[in-house]
Amino acid sequence: MTRREKMMRDLDEDIRAHIETETQDNIARGMAPEAARHAAMKKFGNVEQVREDTRKVWTLVWLEQFMQDVRYCARSLRKSPGFTAIAVLTLALGIGANTAIFSVVYAVMLRPLPYRDAARLVVMWETTPKVGTVGVAYPNFADWRAQSRAFSETAYFTQTGFNLSGVSQPESVGGYAVSPAFLAVLGVRPILGRDFTADEEKNGAAPVLILSNELWQSHLGGDPGAIGKSISLDGRSFTIVGVLPANFRALDTTDFLEPIGVWLQDSPNAAVGRGERGDSAVVARLAPGASFAQATAEMNGIGERLAQQYPESNDKFGVKVTTMRDEFVGDARPALLVLFGAVLFVLLIACANVANLFLVRSASRGREIALRYAFGASRGRIMRQMLAESFILALAGGILGVALAYGGIHAMSKFIPADMLGGATVGLNGAVLLFAGGVVILAAFVFGMAPVVQASQPDFQTGLKEGAKTSSASAAQNKLRGAFAVLEISLALVLLAGAGLMMKSLYRLMAVSPGFRSEQVLSASVDMSVRQYPGDTARANFAQRILDGVRAIPGVEDAGIGTSTPLFNSHSRSDITIEGMATLKSGDYPHPDEHKISPGFTETLGIPLMRGRNFTTADNEKAPPVCLINSLLARQYFAKSNPVGQRITFGHPGTAGDSEKTKWITIVGVVGDTKMYGLANPARLEVYLPFQQFPEGSLNILMRSAVDPASLTTALRGVVASVDKDQPLYDIATMNERVRKSVASRRMTLALLGLFSALALILAGVGIYGVISYSVAQRTHEIGIRAALGAQRGDLMRMVLGQGVLLALTGVAVGVVAALALGRVMASLLYSVSAYDPATFVGVAALLIGVAAAACYFPARRAMRVDPMVALRYE
C-alpha cells in the first residue's frame, strides 16, 4: 500500500471516529439519533468532499515532486554534457532508424485501404503448374459468380489502355475494364456522376468512362461540369459518367474505368474463350459469416469441377484466393520485415549502450545516492528520479530521432521501388509519430531499468566511506555490463550476417547473364489504336515506317521491334503442338511465351543465334510462316533431333473443337534463352514469330547506338510523331535502367541492411570499448600489484585483450545461433546463396572479433602504462 493510500485510509477512519463520537455526545444531550448524526455530519463536513480535497492536495504535491525530479535530472544531465550528448545521439540513431522504416512498413502493410471493410475483400486468379498465377478467363468468372455462395458480391476486372489524343502531347493512359459491380464490391462511390449499370456488362455497351481524380484534375481542370462531356481515346469518343475519389487505389495504374461490355466488344474472343486469360482477375466480398478458409475451399471445388467440365481450356487450372491486403503488399513483405527487424536490433543495441553508460554513471554516483538515503529520501523517490532521467534522455533522443527520420524518409523515397510501395505515400503522419512515441517509452524502460534496479539496492557502507568519491561497481554490476556488451555483439552479428548474405546474393545475381546485351540500348513502347489501325496490313505498315525512321537516326547502329521484350513485364502465352507429337491432355502441351519481332530484334539485343538463321525482310506476309525457338524449348522437346526445319502450330490440332485451318509454322532457327521476368527468375519456353506475318497493336521499340542512348529520346519521339502525331510514346528507358530496376528492391534492402549493420557494428565496438575501459579503470590497483610482482607489459595486454575477446566470442556464439534460427526469414530474399552460408558466418564472426580486439587495444595500452607506485596508492 502506498503512502497516499494509507493516508486516505487513516483519514477516513479519523473522520468516521469523530462523527461517531459527536453523534453519541449529541444523543447524550437529548437529541434524537437522526438529528444527532445530522448535526455531527454538519459539524465535520461531507466525507467525500474531504476526500476529494485531500486528493487534490496530493495531486499538487505529486506534481510538485515530479517537477522537482525533472529539474533535478535536468541539472544533473547538464553537469555531464559528454554523457548526455552521447546518450541522446545514440538513442536518436536507434529511434530515427525505427521511425523511418516504420513509415514504409505502415504505408505498405498497415495503412487502411481506401475500401469499405477491406478485411472482407479477396482477389482471385487462376493458376497452372507450368506458369503459376495467370489471369481469369471471363467465362470462368461467370461460372464462379453463379456457383459461389461464400461471396456476397463479385466483380471482374482486366487491365486495358488507350491513347489519349486531342491534347497538346498525346499520352498513353492505363486503367481497367470492369464489371458493373466492381466499385460496389470495393465499397467505393464516384464523387461525381454515377457508377456503371448492369446493362453495361453486355457486349457492345455504349462507350462511357469513369475518370480517375488525377486525370479529371489534370486534363479537365477539376470541372464539375465534366460529367456528360466526351473525351477521345484511341480515336473514339467516350462519355464521362463519373469521377473516382482522390484516394482510390487499384492494383496498378488507374487513369480510368470502362464497363466490361465495351472491352468485350473490342476483344470478342474473351466473351467465349476460356483460354483467353490476359491480365484479368476477380475481386469479391466475403458473405456475412463466411471465412477466408471457407471461401478458398469452395473456390478450389469450383475450379476442380470446371477443369472436369472444360478439359480443353481448364485442365490442371486451379484458383488462387488472396486477401486484398496481400495483393497490395505482394513480394515486399519479406524485405520490409527483415528491415524492420534490423532497425529493432539497432534500437536494442543503442539501448544496451546507453544502459551501460547509465550503469557506469550510477556507479560513480554511489556516494551521492547513499547520502540521499541517509538524509531520508525514500527508495521510491530515488528510483523515480532515475526513471525520470531516462525518460528525459529518451524524449530528447526521440525528438532528434524524428528529425533524423524526416530526412531519412525523404532520402529513402528516392530509391524505394515504386512497385514495392504499391501507390502508397511514405511520410510522417499520426500513426508514425504515435509509433515513435511508443519507441521512446520502450527505450526509456529498456535502458533505464538497469540503473533503477541498481539504485534500489544501495551499498551504504561503501557509499558513505570518506574515500568513496567514485564508488566501484559490484561484481554483479560488472557482469550486467558484460551481458549488455554480449547482447550488442550478438545482435550486430545477426545484422552483419544478413547484410553479408544479401551482398553475396546480389553479387551472384548481377553475375547472371540475362541472355542479352543491355549496354547502349534504348527502349520504348507504342500501342496502336484498334480503330485507327484495324487490320494486320495497317499495323505492319505502321511498325515498318517506325522501324525505318529509327534506323535513320544518326548514331543508331541497329534497331528492332517486338511485342514482348525482356524485363518489360509483358507477355503472351499459348499452347503449341509439335508436328508428330501424340495428342496430349490440355495441361500437358508446351506453353511458351510468344513474341512477334522484326528482323534486327535479336541482333539489337545481342541474343545469340545457336542454330539456323534469324528473321529477314523476306519473312513477310506473303512468305510461308516461320519461327524461332529458344534453347530451352529445343532441349526439352527436340533433345534427339535438330529442331530447324520441323514444324509447330498454336493450339491442339486433332482435338474436339479445333479449327480445320491449322497453320503450321516452320522452325528456322534456335536462339539463346533470355531472362524475361528478371534475373532471379528462370528462363521460360519461348517462340519468336515475324511481326510482318503476325502483327499486333502493342510493340516495343529497341535501338542500339554508338552514343548515349538516352540522348536519342527526342529523336525517337520525332520519328513516332512523323508517322502519327496522335500516337504517344511511353515507358522510355535504357535497357541498363531496366536491369537495375529489376534488382532495385534487392539493392534497397542491401543498402539499408548494410547501413544498419554498419551502425550496429560501430555501436557494438563502442560498447565493448566502454566495458573494457571501465574495467581497466576499476582494476588499476590490481594491475599495479601485478606489475609490482613482475608481470610484463605483454601479459597485461593479453589479460585485457582476453577479457574483450571473451565477451566477443560469447556474443558471436549467441549471435550465430540467433542468425541460424532466423535463416528462414532471409531465404526468400536470397539468390543462389544458402541462408546458412558458412563462409559468410565465418567472415562476419572474424570481423566482429577483430572490431572487439581493436576496441580493447587502447584500454590495454593504458593498462600497460600503469605506474605500479601510482596504482598501489589508487583507490
Side-chain angles (χ1 to χ4, degrees), residues 89-162:
L89 181 59
T90 301
L91 289 171
L93 291 173
I95 294 171
N98 274 268
T99 304
I101 292 299
F102 180 78
S103 68
V104 181
V105 172
Y106 177 79
V108 176
M109 299 176 61
L110 302 176
R111 178 176 298 195
L113 296 175
Y115 311 126
R116 173 176 56 84
D117 197 9
R120 305 287 294 171
L121 293 175
V122 301
V123 179
M124 294 182 286
W125 308 82
E126 293 193 68
T127 62
T128 173
K130 290 183 179 178
V131 179
T133 302
V134 295
V136 180
Y138 183 75
N140 286 342
F141 156 71
D143 288 332
W144 293 1
R145 180 170 57 182
Q147 297 178 32
S148 65
R149 296 294 178 268
F151 305 112
S152 58
E153 295 175 292
T154 57
Y156 188 79
F157 63 102
T158 184
Q159 280 191 319
T160 185
F162 293 116

Side-chain angles (χ1 to χ4, degrees), residues 293-311:
Q294 290 171 337
T296 302
E298 180 187 66
M299 291 308 301
N300 287 336
I302 293 174
E304 290 173 1
R305 289 197 298 273
L306 292 179
Q308 295 174 358
Q309 190 174 354
Y310 305 101

Side-chain angles (χ1 to χ4, degrees), residues 396-443:
I399 293 171
L400 180 57
V402 169
L404 293 175
Y406 179 78
I409 289 170
H410 282 273
M412 284 194 305
S413 298
K414 296 179 180 179
F415 65 95
I416 296 178
D419 54 354
M420 175 179 281
L421 293 178
T425 302
V426 180
L428 291 178
N429 52 43
V432 176
L433 292 176
L434 186 63
F435 170 81
V439 171
V440 167
I441 295 172
L442 175 66

Side-chain angles (χ1 to χ4, degrees), residues 81-97 346-347 350-351 353-354 357 393-394 396-398 400-401 404 759 762-763:
F83 163 81
T84 303
I86 293 173
V88 169
L89 181 59
T90 301
L91 289 171
L93 291 173
I95 294 171
V346 171
L347 178 63
C351 288
N353 245 335
V354 177
L357 288 174
L393 282 176
L400 180 57
L404 293 175
L759 183 58
I762 294 170
L763 291 176

Side-chain angles (χ1 to χ4, degrees), residues 207-361:
V208 296
L209 282 180
I210 298 178
L211 294 184
S212 71
N213 200 280
E214 184 179 357
L215 197 65
W216 174 57
Q217 294 283 353
S218 61
H219 288 73
L220 298 170
D223 180 14
I227 304 302
K229 292 185 177 180
S230 296
I231 188 170
S232 179
L233 300 176
D234 278 2
R236 176 170 45 173
S237 179
F238 281 79
T239 302
I240 301 169
V241 298
V243 176
L244 292 168
N247 67 340
F248 181 81
R249 293 168 60 192
L251 300 184
D252 210 329
T253 303
T254 311
D255 293 320
F256 64 86
L257 300 177
E258 69 166 341
I260 201 73
V262 179
W263 176 76
L264 290 173
Q265 184 180 24
D266 294 339
S267 309
N269 291 336
V272 294
R274 290 182 186 270
E276 299 285 336
R277 290 180 164 89
D279 294 318
S280 309
V282 173
V283 62
R285 181 173 291 278
L286 291 171
S291 68
F292 180 81
Q294 290 171 337
T296 302
E298 180 187 66
M299 291 308 301
N300 287 336
I302 293 174
E304 290 173 1
R305 289 197 298 273
L306 292 179
Q308 295 174 358
Q309 190 174 354
Y310 305 101
E312 273 300 302
S313 59
N314 284 34
D315 183 46
K316 295 187 178 179
F317 277 81
V319 182
K320 176 184 178 182
V321 185
T322 61
T323 65
M324 179 65 81
R325 172 65 69 184
D326 284 343
E327 284 297 323
F328 275 104
V329 174
D331 298 332
R333 177 180 279 109
L336 289 178
L337 291 179
V338 166
L339 291 176
F340 193 48
V343 292
L344 285 177
F345 281 12
V346 171
L347 178 63
L348 289 175
I349 293 172
C351 288
N353 245 335
V354 177
N356 261 335
L357 288 174
F358 256 88
L359 286 172
V360 172
R361 186 166 183 266

Side-chain angles (χ1 to χ4, degrees), residues 722-763:
S722 68
V723 177
D724 185 345
K725 63 180 179 61
D726 292 327
Q727 185 65 57
L729 189 69
Y730 65 98
D731 199 13
I732 305 173
T734 66
M735 290 303 293
N736 274 341
E737 290 172 340
R738 296 191 185 280
V739 172
R740 286 194 294 270
K741 184 180 177 181
S742 71
V743 296
S745 62
R746 294 174 185 266
R747 284 183 181 274
M748 182 210 71
T749 306
L750 173 60
L752 292 179
L753 196 56
L755 175 64
F756 300 146
S757 300
L759 183 58
L761 186 62
I762 294 170
L763 291 176

